[in-house]
């Protein structure tokens, strides 16, 4: 019997495939990429058409795969079905020295799909490989040439990237919009009305009737700019305007109707049936957005769990089974086989009337780059495998994500929900109030995808034109326009997708790296730019506008897609981008001065010079940041520096004659414990005035004085300025006894 070797990427996928295939197959895992660009150098030959210079990264794995390939009659490369997977297959062929290897792709890990894929092998798609190489080379050129520039001009350890720098710019731009936002006040007026049968409902002031109107609510005088609530066209800029309306309607400031209230009459009733269509199956970005919003699951985590569900999960006697299709996709299309299976499950579980009819709805997108449509949308491999039926085999996060995907797909194949919507216009004097209501007549796809908002009762009582209503209460409410919200991880992914920045596989890593680099921080699930992020973004905008330009980056994505389609050449695409980039980089390195990252101002004046401002406290060394060679208990944390213990004001940072204090490290701490004095930081002379003693001290501590015996002692307040000592005394709580000075051995 012929022995066929199948090489996949992960061991879990290999275990799942082993259950489907017989003894004639050997399944091995490459553990991802086996070759990559070197980490210690650029790895791109700029003089030979930007040729990548790869090196093997997994020698032991290659040795094992070569031994298996020699024993096999046929080698099949079955890495993931995307650009990255195609590149991995090509690297495997090169590293294993394979001649004419066969390539198969598994869009889902099920018995039927795997056997069908094995019957349709193909050669490696070199256009896909070139497209991945082009992205890899450009990312390497940006990272290994622009990042050192940031090290020189801003701070070491920084990085820049083709996608990550644009993501940081979007976060910074949103923060600037919020900072520049000027709130505006607006008011609404709402009436509580009752029918003759006593049923009450609410109606909001909508517009002013025209002076020549016929009273049917159609001839309305409205403001040029609608009010923010959306269902009102009469703009009330302040409370005085709202009170004026209430007075004209014969109502006092408390909202109680008076004798002069005009009749409230139903002028027009509009009833119609509306449909809400089912959503499309998930793409990578929409799955990440919903997982973040509804499950509070970070994009990186949701992708890891989706990978596990795709590669296979043990289902008891069934063994490992792939539960979802491939999770990196920008398409929402579904195969005919999957659609038929979904319809069969829906009819059996909910009834024939719930089965969706007609052609599927086309996905709406604002993205300037067309979807590649290389894969189906994300869906369960078997719709009949409900979340409840496999809950005992899944971990809690796996179950939550699988249920999210299952419900979305099943709902996408169900019929639309139908509502009876009613809109009522009510006239009162010179004004028109409007009430809207809706009643769910047929739930359709909401049977499996209903949210809390869909369950609220918005129905209106039965009303006829000309009916008179009783005014029970007239209330006013003030509002303030809100700035655009800060991005969440979900909304930033949506923004990147709509602007054509990045691809499905890049969203989660991009969000991860901008937070790891401290360009962006997350507070209450909202993304805030840090001072470092603002500084780096400012430098890149000023010197490399194309790198952070949204339109330019989206256009570069189109050109890279052209390489994949075979419409653009690898070398030409990279050269057209690199030549202007290299010129800009050369000029920036020669002309740009070093940029200082701003520190957060505490608002306190420097007590020594009286001119500078104190920044926020730096990180204090602890047992985790400074290794301790003994087991002595850690000293209490130093308080944040105040006027009593300054160290480095903004005037000092700008004046070269003032020197920064030496921050104790593990080496200096060990030296002090052994009884030897630590080396003192060199300071340039500052005119004729001595350096303030407090500026020489470690934040929150007085400066150490080393006697002739070599053992450091802790000075008291008498060695500092009198003013500083007095302020320390005032700051100490009166009920707290004075703390003894720590011994020299336990100081750090």
């Amino acid at each position: 019997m012929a022995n066929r070797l199948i090489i996949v990427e992960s061991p879990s996928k290999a275990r799942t495939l082993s259950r489907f295939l017989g003894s004639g197959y050997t399944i091995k895992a490459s553990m991802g990429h086996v070759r990559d660009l070197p980490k210690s150098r650029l790895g791109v030959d700029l003089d030979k058409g930007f040729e990548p210079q790869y090196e093997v990264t997994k020698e032991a794995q290659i040795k094992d795969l070569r031994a298996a390939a020699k024993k096999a009659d046929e080698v099949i490369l079955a890495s993931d079905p995307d650009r990255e997977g195609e590149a991995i297959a090509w690297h495997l062929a090169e590293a294993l020295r394979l001649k004419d290897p066969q390539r198969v792709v598994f869009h889902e890990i099920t018995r039927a799909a795997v056997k069908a894929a094995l019957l349709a092998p193909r050669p490696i798609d070199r256009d896909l490989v070139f497209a991945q190489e082009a992205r890899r080379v450009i990312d390497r050129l940006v990272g290994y040439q622009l990042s050192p520039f940031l090290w020189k001009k801003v701070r070491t350890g920084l990085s820049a990237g083709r996608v990550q720098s644009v993501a940081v710019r979007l976060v910074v731009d949103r923060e600037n919009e919020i900072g520049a936002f000027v709130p505006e006040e607006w008011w609404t007026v709402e009436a509580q009305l009752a029918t003759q049968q006593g049923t009450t409902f609410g109606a909001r002031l909508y517009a002013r009737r025209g002076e020549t109107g016929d009273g049917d609510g159609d001839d309305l005088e409205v403001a040029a700019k609608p009010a923010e609530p959306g269902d009102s066209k009469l703009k009330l800029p302040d409370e005085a305007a709202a009170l004026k309306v209430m007075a004209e309607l014969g109502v006092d400031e408390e909202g109680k109707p008076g004798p002069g209230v005009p009749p409230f009459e139903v002028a027009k009733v509009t009833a119609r049936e509306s449909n809400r269509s089912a959503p499309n199956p998930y793409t990578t970005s929409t799955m990440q957005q919903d997982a973040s919003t509804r499950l509070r699951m970070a994009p990186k985590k949701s992708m890891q769990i989706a990978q596990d569900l795709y590669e296979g999960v043990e289902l008891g006697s069934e063994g490992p089974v792939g539960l979802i299709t491939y999770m990196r996709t920008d398409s929402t299309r579904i195969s005919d086989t999957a659609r038929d299976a979904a319809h069969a499950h829906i009819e059996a579980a909910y009834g024939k009337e719930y089965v969706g009819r007609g052609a599927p709805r086309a996905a709406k997108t604002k993205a300037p780059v067309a979807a590649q449509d290389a894969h189906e949308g994300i869906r369960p491999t078997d719709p009949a495998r409900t979340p409840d039926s496999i809950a005992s085999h899944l971990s809690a996060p796996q179950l939550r994500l699988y249920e999210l995907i299952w419900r979305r797909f099943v709902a996408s194949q169900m019929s639309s929900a139908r509502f009876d919507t009613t809109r009522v216009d009510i006239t009162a004097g010179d004004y028109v109030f409007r009430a809207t209501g809706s009643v769910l007549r047929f739930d359709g796809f909401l049977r499996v995808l209903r949210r809390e908002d869909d369950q609220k009762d918005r129905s209106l009582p039965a009303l006829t034109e000309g009916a008179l209503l009783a005014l029970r209460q007239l209330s006013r409410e003030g509002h303030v326009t809100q700035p655009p919200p800060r991005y969440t991880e979900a909304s930033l992914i949506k923004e990147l997708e709509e602007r054509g920045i990045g691809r499905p596989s890049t969203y989660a890593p991009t969000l991860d790296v901008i937070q790891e680099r401290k360009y962006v921080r997350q507070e209450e699930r909202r993304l805030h730019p840090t001072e470092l992020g603002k500084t780096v973004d400012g430098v890149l905008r000023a010197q490399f506008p194309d790198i952070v330009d949204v339109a330019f980056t989206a256009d570069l994505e189109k050109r890279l897609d052209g390489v994949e389609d075979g419409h653009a050449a690898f070398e030409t695409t990279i050269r057209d981008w690199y030549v202007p980039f290299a010129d800009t980089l050369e000029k920036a390195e020669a002309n740009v001065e070093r940029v200082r990252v701003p520190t957060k101002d505490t608002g306190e004046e420097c007590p020594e010079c009286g001119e500078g401002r104190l920044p926020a406290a730096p990180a204090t060394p602890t047992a985790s940041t400074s290794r301790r060679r003994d087991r002595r208990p850690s000293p209490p944390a130093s308080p944040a520096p105040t006027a009593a213990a300054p160290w480095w004001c903004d005037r000092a940072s700008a004046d070269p004659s003032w020197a920064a204090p030496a921050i104790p490290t593990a080496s200096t701490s060990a030296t002090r414990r052994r009884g030897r004095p630590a080396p003192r930081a060199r300071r340039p002379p500052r005119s004729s005035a001595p350096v303030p003693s407090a500026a020489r001290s470690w934040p929150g501590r007085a400066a150490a004085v080393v006697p002739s015996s070599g053992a450091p002692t802790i000075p008291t307040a008498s060695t500092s300025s009198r003013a500083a000592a007095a302020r320390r005394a005032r700051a100490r709580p009166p009920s707290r006894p004075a703390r003894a000075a720590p011994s020299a051995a336990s100081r750090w």
Side-chain angles (χ1 to χ4, degrees):
M1 178 182 291
N3 181 24
R4 306 175 77 185
L5 172 65
I6 299 179
I7 302 178
V8 295
E9 292 185 38
S10 69
S12 59
K13 188 191 294 187
R15 288 193 298 270
T16 305
L17 290 174
S18 298
R19 296 293 299 265
F20 299 153
L21 304 174
S23 58
Y25 292 89
T26 301
I27 318 296
K28 291 284 187 178
S30 69
M31 310 299 291
H33 279 279
V34 295
R35 297 200 313 172
D36 200 0
L37 298 175
K39 293 183 178 181
S40 59
R41 53 191 175 87
L42 182 63
V44 178
D45 195 332
L46 303 179
D47 299 325
K48 293 185 178 180
F50 302 96
E51 179 182 348
Q53 300 171 337
Y54 296 109
E55 60 182 24
V56 175
T57 57
K58 295 183 175 72
E59 291 285 357
Q61 202 70 19
I62 288 296
K63 184 178 179 180
D64 179 58
L65 292 175
R66 280 177 181 166
K70 289 180 180 179
K71 299 177 183 178
D73 299 316
E74 184 181 1
V75 178
I76 300 173
L77 304 177
S79 47
D80 285 351
D82 57 7
R83 257 192 312 258
E84 196 82 9
E86 203 73 19
I88 290 175
W90 178 75
H91 283 299
L92 282 168
E94 293 291 310
L96 301 178
R97 305 184 186 93
L98 302 178
K99 294 182 179 179
D100 301 324
Q102 296 295 305
R103 169 84 167 113
V104 298
V105 293
F106 302 137
H107 296 286
E108 57 183 86
I109 311 298
T110 59
R111 188 183 304 273
V114 169
K115 290 186 175 181
L118 291 174
L119 295 176
R122 61 169 174 80
I124 293 175
D125 190 334
R126 286 293 287 143
D127 287 335
L128 281 176
V129 177
F130 281 139
Q132 193 276 339
E133 279 191 310
R135 283 176 164 79
R136 187 75 179 94
V137 167
I138 289 179
D139 290 342
R140 173 55 65 99
L141 292 174
V142 172
Y144 274 54
Q145 294 192 351
L146 191 53
S147 296
F149 168 80
L150 294 176
W151 301 349
K152 296 176 186 176
K153 305 301 182 181
V154 183
R155 181 184 295 175
T156 58
L158 302 181
S159 69
R162 179 174 55 89
V163 177
Q164 76 173 59
S165 297
V166 177
V168 173
R169 172 176 182 159
L170 292 175
V171 176
V172 173
D173 283 346
R174 179 57 56 87
E175 194 70 19
N176 293 337
E177 289 178 36
I178 294 172
F181 182 80
V182 179
E184 296 182 5
E185 180 184 7
W186 53 275
W187 287 73
T188 56
V189 175
E190 186 160 342
Q192 285 296 319
L193 304 171
T195 64
Q196 294 179 358
Q197 291 75 27
T199 306
T200 60
F201 65 97
R204 176 167 291 187
L205 178 64
Y206 176 70
R208 184 189 296 274
R209 294 174 61 183
E211 294 181 356
T212 59
D214 55 8
D216 62 357
D218 289 333
D219 188 7
L220 305 176
E221 179 186 318
V222 298
K225 181 181 178 182
E228 189 157 315
D231 58 351
S232 175
K233 293 187 176 181
L234 182 61
K235 185 177 180 181
L236 302 177
D238 50 35
E239 187 176 17
L243 289 171
K244 181 181 178 182
V245 172
M246 295 175 67
E248 292 179 2
L249 292 174
V251 177
D252 61 18
E253 294 186 5
E254 300 298 325
K256 297 179 180 179
V261 174
F264 280 72
E265 182 182 354
V266 177
K268 188 175 183 180
V269 178
T270 304
R272 63 186 180 88
E273 182 181 283
S274 62
N275 294 332
R276 186 188 302 180
S277 299
N280 284 300
Y282 280 132
T283 63
T284 300
S285 65
T286 54
M287 183 196 72
Q288 290 174 338
Q289 292 168 42
D290 262 13
S292 176
T293 303
R294 302 181 65 182
L295 305 182
R296 299 297 181 95
M297 192 177 288
K300 181 179 180 181
K301 183 178 180 181
S302 64
M303 290 301 292
Q304 290 173 343
I305 296 173
Q307 182 85 35
D308 295 338
L309 296 176
Y310 162 71
E311 292 178 347
V313 178
E314 289 282 348
L315 297 183
S317 60
E318 292 187 66
V321 177
L323 296 179
I324 65 171
T325 55
Y326 192 58
M327 64 287 162
R328 294 186 180 93
T329 176
D330 56 4
S331 173
T332 59
R333 68 176 175 85
I334 295 297
S335 68
D336 293 338
T337 302
R339 182 174 292 107
D340 293 342
H343 288 178
H345 170 75
I346 293 168
E347 183 173 350
Y350 307 110
K352 192 172 183 179
E353 66 274 15
Y354 284 90
V355 177
R357 302 298 180 189
R361 181 170 56 94
K364 296 181 180 179
T365 177
K366 299 179 182 178
V369 181
Q372 299 177 60
D373 202 38
H375 319 291
E376 293 184 59
I378 303 174
R379 61 171 177 83
T381 54
D382 183 2
R385 193 177 282 118
T386 63
D388 291 339
S389 67
I390 59 174
S392 60
H393 302 289
L394 303 180
S395 65
Q398 288 175 337
L399 178 60
R400 293 168 67 208
L401 186 62
Y402 178 75
E403 183 173 9
L404 191 74
I405 295 170
W406 183 89
R407 288 185 178 277
R408 176 71 170 235
F409 170 69
V410 173
S412 72
Q413 304 306 308
M414 296 177 72
S415 53
S416 300
R418 296 193 296 272
F419 296 84
D420 286 343
T421 60
T422 305
R423 189 184 71 189
V424 180
D425 288 344
I426 303 159
T427 59
D430 292 335
Y431 297 97
V432 176
F433 288 78
R434 174 166 288 181
T436 57
S438 62
V439 177
L440 180 64
R441 292 304 182 195
F442 176 69
D443 52 4
F445 75 92
L446 294 178
R447 181 77 175 268
V448 298
L449 205 63
R450 181 173 298 185
R451 304 187 182 185
E452 293 181 4
D453 191 55
D454 298 318
Q455 300 176 10
K456 295 179 180 178
D457 184 11
R458 299 188 182 89
S459 61
L460 292 176
L463 298 170
T464 57
E465 295 183 6
L468 295 178
L469 305 171
L471 176 64
R472 296 288 178 84
Q473 181 79 15
L474 197 64
S475 59
R476 65 187 184 278
E477 184 178 2
H479 311 269
V480 176
T481 55
Q482 298 298 316
R486 290 183 174 89
Y487 288 113
T488 61
E489 289 185 325
S491 60
L492 184 56
I493 288 175
K494 183 179 180 181
E495 188 75 13
L496 290 171
E497 182 185 37
E498 289 180 351
R499 292 173 177 262
I501 306 299
R503 283 295 179 265
S505 60
T506 64
Y507 299 138
T510 297
L511 291 176
D512 202 36
V513 74
I514 64 176
Q515 294 179 72
E516 284 183 354
R517 297 293 184 183
K518 309 299 183 185
Y519 295 154
V520 172
R521 71 178 186 277
Q522 195 169 169
E523 294 181 6
E524 297 180 351
R525 306 186 72 242
R526 297 285 175 176
L527 300 178
H528 300 248
T530 63
E531 292 299 328
L532 178 61
K534 293 177 183 178
T535 302
V536 171
D537 178 66
V539 171
L540 295 179
R541 287 193 201 213
Q543 305 302 326
F544 304 92
D546 287 345
I547 293 295
V548 294
D549 182 73
V550 175
F552 179 85
T553 306
D555 181 67
L556 180 60
E557 288 286 359
K558 291 181 181 179
R559 285 185 276 166
L560 291 171
D561 286 344
V563 177
E564 179 176 337
D565 298 336
H567 299 151
F570 169 85
E571 181 181 350
T572 304
T573 301
I574 299 178
R575 189 175 300 280
D576 290 345
W577 169 85
Y578 180 72
V579 171
F581 167 75
D583 292 341
T584 304
L585 179 61
E586 184 178 359
K587 294 176 183 177
E589 288 180 336
N591 300 328
V592 176
E593 299 292 334
R594 186 171 180 84
V595 179
R596 179 171 174 266
V597 179
T599 54
K600 190 174 181 180
D601 192 355
T602 63
E604 299 182 25
E605 290 187 359
C606 177
E608 299 297 336
C609 67
E611 300 175 6
R613 310 282 286 185
L614 292 179
T620 304
T622 62
S624 60
T625 57
S626 179
R627 292 200 173 203
R628 307 176 62 82
R629 298 189 180 183
D630 53 21
R631 293 295 181 181
R632 299 182 182 92
S634 302
S638 301
T642 63
W647 72 91
W648 193 237
C649 69
D650 58 353
R651 178 181 181 273
S653 64
D655 187 349
S657 62
W658 285 62
I663 305 299
T665 61
S667 60
T668 59
S669 300
T671 301
R672 297 187 181 192
R673 284 197 299 272
R674 288 193 295 268
R676 295 194 298 273
R680 303 182 68 178
R682 296 183 180 180
R683 298 180 175 86
R686 178 178 178 265
S687 63
S688 59
V691 178
S693 60
R696 294 196 299 269
S697 65
W698 169 245
R701 303 180 187 271
V705 178
V706 182
S708 57
S709 62
T713 59
I714 307 301
T716 62
S718 61
T719 60
S720 303
S721 65
R722 294 181 180 178
R727 281 190 290 270
R728 277 198 297 272
R730 288 195 299 269
R732 184 181 298 117
S735 60
R736 182 178 179 180
R739 180 183 297 173
S743 64
S746 64
R747 177 173 182 183
W748 300 117

